[in-house]
Amino acid sequence: MIPVLKVQRPLPATVFIGLTVGLLDGAAAVISSFARSGVTPDKVFKYISSAVLGKAAYSGGGEIVALGVLLHFAVAYIWGLIFFTAYPRVRLLQQNKWLVGCAYGLFVWLMMNLVVLRFTLVPKLKFSWEGAAMGWGIHMLCVGIPIVLITHYWYRKP
């Protein structure tokens, strides 16, 4: 029988994970979009808003950008919560933090791109191996690894 780890205060932990991952992944998305295509930060967050608003999101103003930021952080929080909840129950997730972090980042990228986005109104983007590799790297470094490191710390702290 696997001993179940217990954490005293899961809400602060998951909020911290969501904020950290939201900031890191959001910054990486803005920087990489601008560097690769000259896409401005407002367009990045309007794209996220288009998940629920469709093409109308691109003609909106600051409120649409704010919605995109809110949705982005909500998604970061959800992926953090999923891992944080599974961590004490799945022994494999408690193994090598760096390898698990990279694997979870790749898992999140795959689930977002192959499953979640198909149920939204975002415009379909043309696939490129360069863009996919950039996405994998960003999700490993800015999503998976931070989620795993923070979760590991939170469950192990005295």
Side-chain angles (χ1 to χ4, degrees):
M1 183 168 163
I2 299 172
V4 176
L5 299 171
K6 297 200 182 204
V7 68
Q8 296 299 324
R9 299 178 329 155
L11 184 61
T14 56
V15 168
F16 182 70
I17 290 169
L19 289 173
T20 302
V21 171
L23 285 170
L24 291 172
D25 183 48
V30 165
I31 293 167
S32 67
S33 295
F34 185 77
R36 286 179 53 225
S37 309
V39 173
T40 57
D42 64 315
K43 287 192 177 135
V44 170
F45 292 106
K46 285 180 179 182
Y47 173 78
I48 296 170
S49 290
S50 75
V52 293
L53 300 176
K55 291 181 181 179
Y58 294 100
S59 61
E63 71 283 355
I64 302 301
V65 173
L67 175 63
V69 171
L70 179 69
L71 291 171
H72 174 75
F73 275 90
V75 169
Y77 176 80
I78 290 166
W79 285 114
L81 181 63
I82 290 169
F83 187 88
F84 191 86
T85 304
Y87 182 84
R89 294 167 179 80
V90 181
R91 176 75 100 182
L92 179 66
L93 300 179
Q94 300 169 31
Q95 303 305 309
N96 183 308
K97 296 180 291 264
W98 303 101
L99 186 58
V100 171
C102 287
Y104 191 63
L106 185 57
F107 172 76
V108 170
W109 185 90
L110 287 167
M111 293 303 293
M112 289 300 297
N113 284 276
L114 300 179
V115 179
V116 175
L117 290 180
R118 293 179 187 260
F119 293 100
T120 71
L121 301 174
V122 296
K124 305 301 179 234
L125 299 176
K126 185 179 174 191
F127 178 83
S128 78
W129 285 106
E130 178 190 353
M134 177 77 71
W136 299 336
I138 287 171
H139 277 78
M140 287 180 198
L141 293 172
C142 299
V143 177
I145 290 173
I147 288 173
V148 171
L149 291 177
I150 295 168
T151 299
H152 179 79
Y153 168 78
W154 213 279
Y155 276 99
R156 302 277 190 246
K157 74 180 192 168

